Coordinates of all heavy atoms in Angstrom, one line a residue:
T20 N 184.8 98.2 102.1 CA 185.0 99.6 102.1 C 184.2 100.4 103.2 O 184.7 101.4 103.7 CB 184.6 100.2 100.7 OG1 183.2 99.9 100.4 CG2 185.5 99.6 99.6
L21 N 183.0 99.9 103.5 CA 182.2 100.5 104.6 C 182.9 100.6 105.9 O 183.0 101.6 106.6 CB 180.8 99.9 104.7 CG 179.9 100.6 105.7 CD1 179.7 102.1 105.5 CD2 178.5 99.9 105.7
P22 N 183.5 99.4 106.4 CA 184.2 99.5 107.7 C 185.4 100.4 107.6 O 185.8 101.1 108.6 CB 184.7 98.0 107.9 CG 183.6 97.2 107.2 CD 183.3 98.0 105.9
M23 N 186.1 100.5 106.4 CA 187.3 101.3 106.2 C 186.9 102.8 106.4 O 187.5 103.5 107.1 CB 187.9 101.0 104.9 CG 188.6 99.7 104.7 SD 189.2 99.4 103.0 CE 190.2 100.8 102.8
F24 N 185.8 103.2 105.6 CA 185.5 104.6 105.7 C 184.9 105.0 107.1 O 185.2 106.1 107.6 CB 184.4 104.9 104.7 CG 184.9 105.2 103.3 CD1 184.8 104.4 102.2 CD2 185.6 106.4 103.1 CE1 185.3 104.6 101.0 CE2 186.1 106.7 101.8 CZ 186.0 105.8 100.8
T25 N 184.2 104.0 107.7 CA 183.7 104.3 109.1 C 184.8 104.4 110.1 O 184.8 105.4 110.9 CB 182.7 103.1 109.5 OG1 181.7 103.1 108.5 CG2 182.1 103.4 110.9
S26 N 185.7 103.5 110.1 CA 186.9 103.6 111.0 C 187.6 104.9 110.8 O 188.0 105.6 111.8 CB 187.8 102.4 110.8 OG 187.1 101.2 111.1
W27 N 187.8 105.4 109.6 CA 188.5 106.6 109.3 C 187.8 107.8 109.9 O 188.3 108.7 110.5 CB 188.8 106.8 107.8 CG 189.5 108.1 107.5 CD1 190.9 108.3 107.5 CD2 188.9 109.3 107.3 NE1 191.1 109.6 107.2 CE2 189.9 110.3 107.0 CE3 187.5 109.8 107.1 CZ2 189.7 111.6 106.7 CZ3 187.3 111.1 106.8 CH2 188.4 112.0 106.7
A28 N 186.5 107.8 109.6 CA 185.6 108.9 110.1 C 185.6 109.0 111.6 O 185.6 110.1 112.1 CB 184.2 108.8 109.5
L29 N 185.5 107.8 112.2 CA 185.5 107.8 113.7 C 186.8 108.4 114.3 O 186.8 109.2 115.2 CB 185.3 106.4 114.2 CG 183.9 105.8 114.1 CD1 184.0 104.3 114.4 CD2 182.9 106.5 115.0
G30 N 187.9 108.1 113.7 CA 189.2 108.6 114.1 C 189.4 110.1 113.8 O 190.1 110.8 114.5
H31 N 188.8 110.5 112.7 CA 189.1 111.9 112.2 C 188.2 112.9 112.8 O 188.6 114.0 113.2 CB 188.9 111.9 110.7 CG 189.2 113.3 110.1 ND1 190.5 113.8 109.9 CD2 188.4 114.3 109.7 CE1 190.4 115.0 109.4 NE2 189.1 115.3 109.2
F32 N 186.9 112.6 113.0 CA 185.9 113.5 113.4 C 185.6 113.5 114.9 O 185.2 114.5 115.5 CB 184.6 113.4 112.7 CG 184.6 113.7 111.2 CD1 184.6 112.8 110.2 CD2 184.8 115.0 110.8 CE1 184.6 113.0 108.9 CE2 184.9 115.4 109.5 CZ 184.8 114.4 108.5
Q33 N 185.8 112.4 115.5 CA 185.5 112.3 117.0 C 186.7 112.8 117.8 O 187.8 112.7 117.4 CB 185.2 110.8 117.3 CG 184.0 110.2 116.8 CD 182.7 110.7 117.6 OE1 182.7 110.7 118.8 NE2 181.6 111.0 116.9
D34 N 186.4 113.3 119.0 CA 187.5 113.7 119.9 C 188.2 112.5 120.3 O 187.6 111.4 120.4 CB 186.9 114.4 121.1 CG 186.2 115.7 120.8 OD1 186.6 116.3 119.8 OD2 185.3 116.2 121.5
S35 N 189.5 112.6 120.6 CA 190.3 111.5 120.9 C 189.8 110.7 122.1 O 190.0 109.5 122.3 CB 191.8 111.9 121.2 OG 191.8 112.9 122.2
S36 N 189.2 111.5 123.1 CA 188.6 110.8 124.3 C 187.3 110.2 124.0 O 186.8 109.5 124.9 CB 188.5 111.9 125.4 OG 187.6 112.9 125.0
Q37 N 186.7 110.4 122.9 CA 185.4 109.8 122.6 C 185.3 109.0 121.4 O 184.3 108.6 120.9 CB 184.4 111.0 122.4 CG 184.2 111.9 123.6 CD 183.3 113.1 123.3 OE1 182.9 113.3 122.2 NE2 182.8 113.7 124.4
V38 N 186.5 108.6 120.9 CA 186.5 107.7 119.7 C 185.9 106.4 119.9 O 186.2 105.7 120.9 CB 188.0 107.5 119.2 CG1 188.0 106.5 118.1 CG2 188.6 108.8 118.7
L39 N 185.0 106.0 119.0 CA 184.3 104.7 119.1 C 185.0 103.8 118.1 O 185.0 104.1 116.9 CB 182.8 104.8 118.8 CG 182.0 105.6 119.8 CD1 180.6 105.7 119.3 CD2 182.0 105.1 121.2
E40 N 185.5 102.7 118.6 CA 186.2 101.8 117.7 C 185.1 100.9 117.0 O 184.4 100.2 117.6 CB 187.2 100.9 118.4 CG 188.4 101.7 118.9 CD 189.3 102.2 117.8 OE1 189.3 101.7 116.7 OE2 189.9 103.2 118.0
L41 N 185.1 100.9 115.7 CA 184.2 100.0 114.9 C 184.8 98.6 114.9 O 185.9 98.4 114.5 CB 184.0 100.5 113.5 CG 183.2 99.6 112.6 CD1 181.8 99.7 113.0 CD2 183.4 100.1 111.1
P42 N 184.0 97.6 115.3 CA 184.4 96.2 115.3 C 184.5 95.7 113.8 O 183.5 95.2 113.3 CB 183.4 95.5 116.1 CG 182.2 96.3 116.0 CD 182.6 97.7 115.9
V43 N 185.6 96.0 113.2 CA 185.7 95.7 111.8 C 185.4 94.3 111.4 O 184.6 94.0 110.5 CB 187.1 96.1 111.3 CG1 187.3 95.7 109.8 CG2 187.4 97.5 111.5
L44 N 185.9 93.3 112.1 CA 185.7 91.9 111.8 C 184.2 91.6 112.0 O 183.6 90.9 111.1 CB 186.5 91.0 112.7 CG 186.4 89.5 112.5 CD1 186.7 89.1 111.0 CD2 187.2 88.7 113.5
R45 N 183.6 92.1 113.1 CA 182.2 91.8 113.3 C 181.4 92.5 112.2 O 180.4 91.9 111.7 CB 181.8 92.4 114.7 CG 180.3 92.2 114.9 CD 179.9 92.9 116.3 NE 178.5 92.9 116.4 CZ 177.8 93.7 117.3 NH1 178.5 94.4 118.1 NH2 176.5 93.7 117.4
T46 N 181.8 93.7 111.8 CA 181.0 94.4 110.7 C 181.1 93.6 109.4 O 180.1 93.4 108.7 CB 181.6 95.8 110.5 OG1 181.6 96.5 111.7 CG2 180.8 96.5 109.4
I47 N 182.3 93.1 109.1 CA 182.5 92.3 107.8 C 181.6 91.1 107.9 O 180.9 90.7 106.9 CB 183.9 92.0 107.6 CG1 184.7 93.3 107.3 CG2 184.1 91.0 106.4 CD1 186.2 93.1 107.1
L48 N 181.7 90.3 109.0 CA 180.9 89.1 109.1 C 179.4 89.4 109.1 O 178.6 88.6 108.4 CB 181.3 88.4 110.5 CG 182.7 87.8 110.6 CD1 182.9 87.3 112.0 CD2 182.9 86.7 109.5
T49 N 179.0 90.5 109.7 CA 177.6 90.9 109.7 C 177.1 91.2 108.2 O 176.0 90.7 107.8 CB 177.3 92.1 110.5 OG1 177.7 91.8 111.9 CG2 175.8 92.5 110.5
L50 N 177.9 91.9 107.5 CA 177.5 92.2 106.1 C 177.5 91.0 105.2 O 176.7 90.9 104.3 CB 178.5 93.3 105.6 CG 178.4 94.7 106.2 CD1 179.5 95.6 105.6 CD2 177.0 95.3 106.0
V51 N 178.5 90.1 105.5 CA 178.5 88.8 104.7 C 177.2 88.1 104.9 O 176.5 87.6 104.0 CB 179.7 87.9 105.1 CG1 179.5 86.5 104.5 CG2 181.0 88.5 104.6
V52 N 176.8 88.0 106.2 CA 175.6 87.2 106.5 C 174.3 87.9 106.0 O 173.4 87.2 105.5 CB 175.4 87.1 108.1 CG1 174.1 86.5 108.5 CG2 176.5 86.2 108.6
I53 N 174.3 89.3 106.0 CA 173.1 90.0 105.6 C 173.1 90.3 104.1 O 172.0 90.7 103.6 CB 172.9 91.2 106.5 CG1 172.6 90.8 107.9 CG2 171.8 92.1 106.0 CD1 172.3 91.9 108.9
I54 N 174.2 90.1 103.4 CA 174.2 90.4 102.0 C 174.4 89.1 101.1 O 173.6 88.8 100.3 CB 175.3 91.4 101.6 CG1 174.9 92.8 102.2 CG2 175.4 91.5 100.1 CD1 175.9 93.9 102.0
L55 N 175.5 88.4 101.4 CA 175.8 87.2 100.5 C 174.8 86.1 100.7 O 174.3 85.6 99.7 CB 177.2 86.7 100.9 CG 178.4 87.6 100.4 CD1 179.7 86.9 100.9 CD2 178.4 87.7 98.9
I56 N 174.5 85.7 101.9 CA 173.6 84.6 102.1 C 172.2 84.8 101.6 O 171.7 84.0 100.8 CB 173.6 84.2 103.6 CG1 175.0 83.7 104.0 CG2 172.5 83.1 103.9 CD1 175.1 83.3 105.5
P57 N 171.6 85.9 101.9 CA 170.2 86.1 101.4 C 170.1 86.3 99.9 O 169.1 85.8 99.3 CB 169.7 87.4 102.1 CG 170.9 88.1 102.5 CD 171.9 87.0 102.8
V58 N 171.1 86.9 99.3 CA 171.1 87.0 97.8 C 171.2 85.6 97.2 O 170.5 85.3 96.3 CB 172.3 87.9 97.3 CG1 172.4 87.8 95.8 CG2 172.0 89.4 97.7
G59 N 172.0 84.8 97.8 CA 172.1 83.4 97.3 C 170.8 82.7 97.5 O 170.4 81.9 96.6
I60 N 170.1 82.9 98.6 CA 168.9 82.2 98.9 C 167.8 82.7 97.8 O 167.1 81.9 97.2 CB 168.3 82.6 100.3 CG1 169.2 81.9 101.3 CG2 166.9 82.1 100.4 CD1 168.9 82.3 102.8
G61 N 167.8 84.0 97.6 CA 166.9 84.5 96.6 C 167.1 83.9 95.2 O 166.2 83.6 94.5

């Protein structure tokens, strides 16, 4: 959901010439590594 809301906000609030594309796949992979793996370790 975080990449979804971020991508929507970037497209809605930013000017069309300044839109920053959120790397959705990279974001999902980053959150998996920083959430799933450490919780499992703990």
